[in-house]
Structures are given as structure tokens and as C-alpha cells.
Amino acid sequence: MNDIYKVNIENGYYIFKLKKQLANKNISINKLMRDTNTDFKVIKRLITGDLVKIDITVLARICDYLDCSIDDIFEYKK
């Protein structure tokens, strides 16, 4: 099972690490969904990188819940 997802784009790539954060903290997707009041599909997209835009309010809620920073969830590399 892959804990980190890489999404290539024109000038670089994104690395999505939410699944790794959840595994490290022993938190299920369902628990994160319930505790942060975030839709399952949104969480799955943040895990796999299968998204077009990111809601910063949702991202802040997840970072607060996991006590981490945005770059612990995803990062951009040129």
C-alpha cells in the first residue's frame, strides 16, 4: 500500500503525504472524516492528489487536527 503519492505536472510535481501522516498517527480515514467534518471524497483526493484545487479551510482543519503543517500533507517540487 502506497503512503505517498506523486503527481507530475508541467514544471515539477506534487507529493501528497496525508496517508503517511494518518498511518504515523494511527488515524483512519473514517476517523479523520468524522472528527474534522470533512467529506470522504475530499480526503481521498488529498491522499491521492486527484484534485484540481485545494480548499485552504479544509486543509487548515486537517492540519490542526493532525497537529502538523501544510508541508507535512503535501509539497511542490520544481
Side-chain angles (χ1 to χ4, degrees), residues 14-55:
Y14 287 98
I15 300 172
F16 290 85
K17 305 179 281 187
L18 178 56
K19 190 170 185 179
K20 183 177 182 179
Q21 283 295 316
L22 293 175
N24 288 344
K25 295 177 185 278
N26 200 27
I27 297 171
S28 70
I29 293 172
N30 287 330
K31 180 166 177 48
L32 178 66
M33 180 183 71
R34 283 190 313 269
D35 291 352
T36 62
N37 195 30
T38 304
D39 187 72
F40 181 79
K41 291 178 188 175
V42 171
I43 293 172
K44 285 300 281 185
R45 288 180 182 138
L46 281 171
I47 287 173
T48 64
D50 184 26
L51 44 80
V52 175
K53 60 184 176 179
I54 297 173
D55 184 334

Side-chain angles (χ1 to χ4, degrees), residues 63-76:
C63 287
D64 285 345
Y65 180 77
L66 295 175
D67 192 28
C68 68
S69 62
I70 290 172
D71 62 339
D72 293 324
I73 303 294
F74 76 93
E75 61 184 285
Y76 171 73

